[in-house]
Amino acid sequence: MAEQRSPGTVPTPRRLLERLPSITVLGPFVALLLAVLFFSAQSDRFLSGQNFSLILQQVLVVGVLAIGQTLVILTGGIDLSVGFVMALGTMVMTKFAVELGLPPLLSVLCGVAVTTGFGFLNGLLITRVKLPPFIVTLGTMNIAFALTQIYSKAQTVTGLPDALLFWGNTFRLGETVITYGVVLMIALYLLVWFLLSETAPGRHLYAVGNNPEAARLMGIPTQRVLLLTYTVAGLFYGIAGWLLVSRTSVGDPNAGQTENLETITAVVLGGTSLFGGRGMILGTLLGAIIVGVFRNGLTLTGVSSVYQVLITGVLVILAVTADQLSKRRG
Amino acid sequence: MEFRPNPQRTPPPNPDLPLDQARQPVTQAKVVLEARGLVKRYGHVTALDGADFELREGEILAVIGDNGAGKSTLIKALSGAIIPDEGQIILDGKPVHFRSPLDARRYGIETVYQDLAVAPAMTIAENLFLGREILKPGLLARLLRVIDKKRMLEEATNSMKDLKIGIRSMSQAVETLSGGQRQGVAVARSAAFARHVVIMDEPTAALGVKEGNMVLELIRRVRDRGLPVIIISHNMPHVFEIADRIHIQRLGRRAAVVNPRRISMAHTVAVMTGAMSPEELSPDELAH
Ligand SMILES: Nc1ncnc2c1ncn2[C@@H]1O[C@H](COP(=O)(O)OP(=O)(O)OP(=O)(O)O)[C@@H](O)[C@H]1O
Ligand SMILES: [Mg+2]
């Protein structure tokens, strides 16, 4: 019987490497804490409830999109169609409501059905035709973009009914004004966290990402898990679209163009491995907030937005490096 | 390669019994899993060419053979990973038709795959219950398929205790274990769920001497709990150390079943490679 290494022995380089997973867990917290401390020192407007509420509103859409992206990345895949599929969904919602005059909630449902359908299509192509997720979603990204432009004739939709703007409504918590959308985002994160960590389908998603062949041999319907994952991701893109419409009060055919990379940034900063099978959904929320804090803080301290992009890039490289190092261990 | 029988493993003939019964005490044991005339073709390659197979109650049966002899194909047919073109598989005297590994598992046949089939980032407890998690009671919990982590942890601890695998915490990730311990987890998983048969494809390959011995010891414990075990191995000393009978697979068929307590390693290898025909073996060397 191989003996166990007893805890508390002298830290060798190997022992330090073994602790890396905890670095990927703690990393996001530390990064967030440092950023908050730094910006609080730089600007006295930074550390206020109202400013944090604003940051949350700014990360709302990317935050909900990143839930779908996290699910996909946990299976070892990637989704490049995220922002463009959402944009198509918002065009369907707004045009159905404004131009076809459908009841607003039915229009929302149609928009969400379109994004969910796109997720299903991604899943179908990946599981049935066995194409790599990267290529499939690159293709559907372009299809969604083109459909958005064709359908909207590149026109912005305005004059939206109130129901479409619902998530922009606010309530007060003490001094701070909070939108319903922020509450929805946090609720969705908690729900997905529960499903991933406490239910059999959630654990199967991790197993499929961690070792697909083992999952298959253990009787997990791996193809069905993948198909369901991409479909559910599409559902979240639709919800994110509704949140976007609520925030901006328009249907914008050019929305969602930077969101792909931003969701991947949030996922990676949150400590989820791009190799699949490892990571936490709540880390993604932290990752999204980190990006938001940097944006907001740098803007408040009057730093040009080019530096914001630079710093985000450096953060992503750091996070991916930690991921790669912890994978190499053992 | 000279083989000297291990004196402890060679029981003295019992003078009170008729000669052939004294030598083959397992003859009366019930047949648990049987295959007749299995054929499996891949294009024009015939992997199985009318293979027979017989596993008896409470035994460790080793399956040996040259590369390409059809061992893995035979075992895959028995574990539902492939469907044979011809022939039948009989479990407890009844014909069965496995269409997937899941089918075979429903009949209590568990397989330890050569690459172990574990999810390294997940905990030992999760790996033990992968694909058959214990769910919490209650309508909503059933609907959402909420898992009972506490019970899974307890039962994992118990089944590992049964097999005396020295792992402290069932909530540690499998990737933190040594190779031997991981193999132990895979063996424990099959032992914990098997009701009928445990199949192991090369369970000691790529293990150190110490880890290899640990897994052999585990296999014996599984057998001693009453489960028959099929083990594929290229490691002759291991085979002779652990097997009650040895199934020699050659050219897609069963060439012979021999008795490791009576036959030399040299003769076994000769039959396996075709240097010696099974008819040249003395009746004493065969297992009946
Ligand atoms: N999926 C397959 N497709 C084509 N041929 C196959 C396939 N599986 C097995 N074969 C062929 O069937 C024959 C028997 O293969 P099998 O894997 O059963 O041998 P084995 O006894 O397990 O050999 P080894 O000791 O190398 O594992 C070989 O000639 C092999 O090439
Ligand atoms: Mg083989």
Side-chain angles (χ1 to χ4, degrees), chain B residues 42 45 47 65-74 234:
Chain B
Y42 292 105
V45 178
D66 274 342
N67 295 120
K71 304 180 296 294
S72 291
T73 311
L74 172 67
H234 284 290

PDB file of all heavy atoms in Angstrom, chain B residues 42 45 47 65-74 234, ligand 1:
ATOM      1  N   TYR B  42     -13.914  -8.011 -37.795  1.00  0.00           N
ATOM      2  CA  TYR B  42     -13.727  -6.598 -38.151  1.00  0.00           C
ATOM      3  C   TYR B  42     -13.265  -6.591 -39.596  1.00  0.00           C
ATOM      4  O   TYR B  42     -12.100  -6.869 -39.864  1.00  0.00           O
ATOM      5  CB  TYR B  42     -12.677  -5.942 -37.264  1.00  0.00           C
ATOM      6  CG  TYR B  42     -13.090  -5.784 -35.816  1.00  0.00           C
ATOM      7  CD1 TYR B  42     -12.568  -6.614 -34.836  1.00  0.00           C
ATOM      8  CD2 TYR B  42     -13.996  -4.796 -35.442  1.00  0.00           C
ATOM      9  CE1 TYR B  42     -12.929  -6.454 -33.507  1.00  0.00           C
ATOM     10  CE2 TYR B  42     -14.368  -4.640 -34.115  1.00  0.00           C
ATOM     11  CZ  TYR B  42     -13.832  -5.475 -33.158  1.00  0.00           C
ATOM     12  OH  TYR B  42     -14.190  -5.314 -31.846  1.00  0.00           O
ATOM     13  N   VAL B  45     -10.684  -9.163 -40.758  1.00  0.00           N
ATOM     14  CA  VAL B  45      -9.977  -9.680 -39.573  1.00  0.00           C
ATOM     15  C   VAL B  45     -10.994 -10.385 -38.689  1.00  0.00           C
ATOM     16  O   VAL B  45     -12.038  -9.839 -38.361  1.00  0.00           O
ATOM     17  CB  VAL B  45      -9.329  -8.529 -38.764  1.00  0.00           C
ATOM     18  CG1 VAL B  45      -8.648  -9.072 -37.521  1.00  0.00           C
ATOM     19  CG2 VAL B  45      -8.348  -7.766 -39.628  1.00  0.00           C
ATOM     20  N   ALA B  47     -11.525 -11.439 -35.179  1.00  0.00           N
ATOM     21  CA  ALA B  47     -10.966 -11.273 -33.838  1.00  0.00           C
ATOM     22  C   ALA B  47     -11.336 -12.452 -32.952  1.00  0.00           C
ATOM     23  O   ALA B  47     -10.522 -12.955 -32.185  1.00  0.00           O
ATOM     24  CB  ALA B  47     -11.463  -9.966 -33.225  1.00  0.00           C
ATOM     25  N   GLY B  65      -2.838 -14.783 -23.594  1.00  0.00           N
ATOM     26  CA  GLY B  65      -2.720 -15.030 -25.029  1.00  0.00           C
ATOM     27  C   GLY B  65      -1.814 -14.006 -25.655  1.00  0.00           C
ATOM     28  O   GLY B  65      -1.595 -12.933 -25.082  1.00  0.00           O
ATOM     29  N   ASP B  66      -1.319 -14.336 -26.842  1.00  0.00           N
ATOM     30  CA  ASP B  66      -0.452 -13.405 -27.551  1.00  0.00           C
ATOM     31  C   ASP B  66      -1.212 -12.137 -27.919  1.00  0.00           C
ATOM     32  O   ASP B  66      -2.441 -12.120 -27.880  1.00  0.00           O
ATOM     33  CB  ASP B  66       0.058 -14.050 -28.849  1.00  0.00           C
ATOM     34  CG  ASP B  66       1.305 -14.866 -28.592  1.00  0.00           C
ATOM     35  OD1 ASP B  66       1.938 -14.642 -27.542  1.00  0.00           O
ATOM     36  OD2 ASP B  66       1.631 -15.727 -29.433  1.00  0.00           O
ATOM     37  N   ASN B  67      -0.485 -11.126 -28.333  1.00  0.00           N
ATOM     38  CA  ASN B  67      -1.122  -9.911 -28.840  1.00  0.00           C
ATOM     39  C   ASN B  67      -1.997 -10.272 -30.030  1.00  0.00           C
ATOM     40  O   ASN B  67      -1.574 -11.003 -30.915  1.00  0.00           O
ATOM     41  CB  ASN B  67      -0.071  -8.890 -29.276  1.00  0.00           C
ATOM     42  CG  ASN B  67       0.764  -8.402 -28.108  1.00  0.00           C
ATOM     43  OD1 ASN B  67       1.969  -8.567 -28.087  1.00  0.00           O
ATOM     44  ND2 ASN B  67       0.117  -7.831 -27.124  1.00  0.00           N
ATOM     45  N   GLY B  68      -3.220  -9.791 -30.017  1.00  0.00           N
ATOM     46  CA  GLY B  68      -4.122 -10.062 -31.127  1.00  0.00           C
ATOM     47  C   GLY B  68      -4.843 -11.394 -31.034  1.00  0.00           C
ATOM     48  O   GLY B  68      -5.554 -11.785 -31.957  1.00  0.00           O
ATOM     49  N   ALA B  69      -4.669 -12.114 -29.923  1.00  0.00           N
ATOM     50  CA  ALA B  69      -5.321 -13.422 -29.782  1.00  0.00           C
ATOM     51  C   ALA B  69      -6.824 -13.292 -29.583  1.00  0.00           C
ATOM     52  O   ALA B  69      -7.566 -14.268 -29.731  1.00  0.00           O
ATOM     53  CB  ALA B  69      -4.704 -14.186 -28.611  1.00  0.00           C
ATOM     54  N   GLY B  70      -7.277 -12.097 -29.264  1.00  0.00           N
ATOM     55  CA  GLY B  70      -8.709 -11.893 -29.085  1.00  0.00           C
ATOM     56  C   GLY B  70      -9.143 -11.795 -27.633  1.00  0.00           C
ATOM     57  O   GLY B  70     -10.333 -11.892 -27.334  1.00  0.00           O
ATOM     58  N   LYS B  71      -8.214 -11.567 -26.738  1.00  0.00           N
ATOM     59  CA  LYS B  71      -8.568 -11.481 -25.308  1.00  0.00           C
ATOM     60  C   LYS B  71      -9.476 -10.292 -25.040  1.00  0.00           C
ATOM     61  O   LYS B  71     -10.547 -10.445 -24.448  1.00  0.00           O
ATOM     62  CB  LYS B  71      -7.300 -11.321 -24.445  1.00  0.00           C
ATOM     63  CG  LYS B  71      -6.277 -12.397 -24.626  1.00  0.00           C
ATOM     64  CD  LYS B  71      -5.070 -12.159 -23.733  1.00  0.00           C
ATOM     65  CE  LYS B  71      -4.302 -10.893 -24.066  1.00  0.00           C
ATOM     66  NZ  LYS B  71      -3.653 -10.900 -25.373  1.00  0.00           N
ATOM     67  N   SER B  72      -9.026  -9.122 -25.496  1.00  0.00           N
ATOM     68  CA  SER B  72      -9.829  -7.923 -25.208  1.00  0.00           C
ATOM     69  C   SER B  72     -11.189  -8.010 -25.887  1.00  0.00           C
ATOM     70  O   SER B  72     -12.207  -7.608 -25.313  1.00  0.00           O
ATOM     71  CB  SER B  72      -9.099  -6.660 -25.671  1.00  0.00           C
ATOM     72  OG  SER B  72      -7.970  -6.436 -24.875  1.00  0.00           O
ATOM     73  N   THR B  73     -11.217  -8.540 -27.108  1.00  0.00           N
ATOM     74  CA  THR B  73     -12.487  -8.666 -27.817  1.00  0.00           C
ATOM     75  C   THR B  73     -13.436  -9.602 -27.061  1.00  0.00           C
ATOM     76  O   THR B  73     -14.624  -9.308 -26.903  1.00  0.00           O
ATOM     77  CB  THR B  73     -12.248  -9.193 -29.246  1.00  0.00           C
ATOM     78  OG1 THR B  73     -11.218  -8.419 -29.853  1.00  0.00           O
ATOM     79  CG2 THR B  73     -13.505  -9.094 -30.081  1.00  0.00           C
ATOM     80  N   LEU B  74     -12.885 -10.705 -26.561  1.00  0.00           N
ATOM     81  CA  LEU B  74     -13.686 -11.652 -25.782  1.00  0.00           C
ATOM     82  C   LEU B  74     -14.279 -10.958 -24.553  1.00  0.00           C
ATOM     83  O   LEU B  74     -15.485 -11.046 -24.282  1.00  0.00           O
ATOM     84  CB  LEU B  74     -12.794 -12.831 -25.347  1.00  0.00           C
ATOM     85  CG  LEU B  74     -13.409 -13.828 -24.372  1.00  0.00           C
ATOM     86  CD1 LEU B  74     -14.534 -14.601 -25.036  1.00  0.00           C
ATOM     87  CD2 LEU B  74     -12.344 -14.791 -23.847  1.00  0.00           C
ATOM     88  N   HIS B 234      -0.616 -10.049 -19.158  1.00  0.00           N
ATOM     89  CA  HIS B 234       0.552 -10.571 -19.863  1.00  0.00           C
ATOM     90  C   HIS B 234       1.642 -10.946 -18.869  1.00  0.00           C
ATOM     91  O   HIS B 234       2.686 -11.441 -19.256  1.00  0.00           O
ATOM     92  CB  HIS B 234       1.100  -9.506 -20.829  1.00  0.00           C
ATOM     93  CG  HIS B 234       0.292  -9.352 -22.076  1.00  0.00           C
ATOM     94  ND1 HIS B 234       0.261 -10.315 -23.050  1.00  0.00           N
ATOM     95  CD2 HIS B 234      -0.520  -8.364 -22.502  1.00  0.00           C
ATOM     96  CE1 HIS B 234      -0.534  -9.905 -24.035  1.00  0.00           C
ATOM     97  NE2 HIS B 234      -1.032  -8.729 -23.719  1.00  0.00           N
TER      98      HIS B 234
HETATM   99  N1  LIG C   1     -12.119  -2.229 -33.386  1.00  0.00           N
HETATM  100  C1  LIG C   1     -11.371  -3.050 -34.162  1.00  0.00           C
HETATM  101  N2  LIG C   1     -11.276  -2.844 -35.495  1.00  0.00           N
HETATM  102  C2  LIG C   1     -10.540  -3.652 -36.269  1.00  0.00           C
HETATM  103  N3  LIG C   1      -9.863  -4.708 -35.820  1.00  0.00           N
HETATM  104  C3  LIG C   1      -9.910  -4.974 -34.508  1.00  0.00           C
HETATM  105  C4  LIG C   1     -10.659  -4.163 -33.612  1.00  0.00           C
HETATM  106  N4  LIG C   1     -10.535  -4.674 -32.368  1.00  0.00           N
HETATM  107  C5  LIG C   1      -9.740  -5.733 -32.481  1.00  0.00           C
HETATM  108  N5  LIG C   1      -9.359  -5.939 -33.766  1.00  0.00           N
HETATM  109  C6  LIG C   1      -8.515  -7.021 -34.240  1.00  0.00           C
HETATM  110  O1  LIG C   1      -8.940  -8.214 -33.650  1.00  0.00           O
HETATM  111  C7  LIG C   1      -7.846  -9.014 -33.275  1.00  0.00           C
HETATM  112  C8  LIG C   1      -7.952  -9.344 -31.792  1.00  0.00           C
HETATM  113  O2  LIG C   1      -7.803  -8.143 -31.058  1.00  0.00           O
HETATM  114  P1  LIG C   1      -7.839  -8.075 -29.460  1.00  0.00           P
HETATM  115  O3  LIG C   1      -7.732  -6.668 -29.073  1.00  0.00           O
HETATM  116  O4  LIG C   1      -8.992  -8.842 -28.962  1.00  0.00           O
HETATM  117  O5  LIG C   1      -6.495  -8.835 -29.073  1.00  0.00           O
HETATM  118  P2  LIG C   1      -5.840  -9.015 -27.625  1.00  0.00           P
HETATM  119  O6  LIG C   1      -5.730 -10.478 -27.401  1.00  0.00           O
HETATM  120  O7  LIG C   1      -6.553  -8.238 -26.620  1.00  0.00           O
HETATM  121  O8  LIG C   1      -4.388  -8.420 -27.884  1.00  0.00           O
HETATM  122  P3  LIG C   1      -3.445  -7.558 -26.892  1.00  0.00           P
HETATM  123  O9  LIG C   1      -2.713  -8.543 -26.047  1.00  0.00           O
HETATM  124  O10 LIG C   1      -2.509  -6.873 -27.829  1.00  0.00           O
HETATM  125  O11 LIG C   1      -4.285  -6.629 -26.123  1.00  0.00           O
HETATM  126  C9  LIG C   1      -6.599  -8.236 -33.644  1.00  0.00           C
HETATM  127  O12 LIG C   1      -6.121  -8.730 -34.876  1.00  0.00           O
HETATM  128  C10 LIG C   1      -7.086  -6.832 -33.797  1.00  0.00           C
HETATM  129  O13 LIG C   1      -6.335  -6.159 -34.768  1.00  0.00           O
END
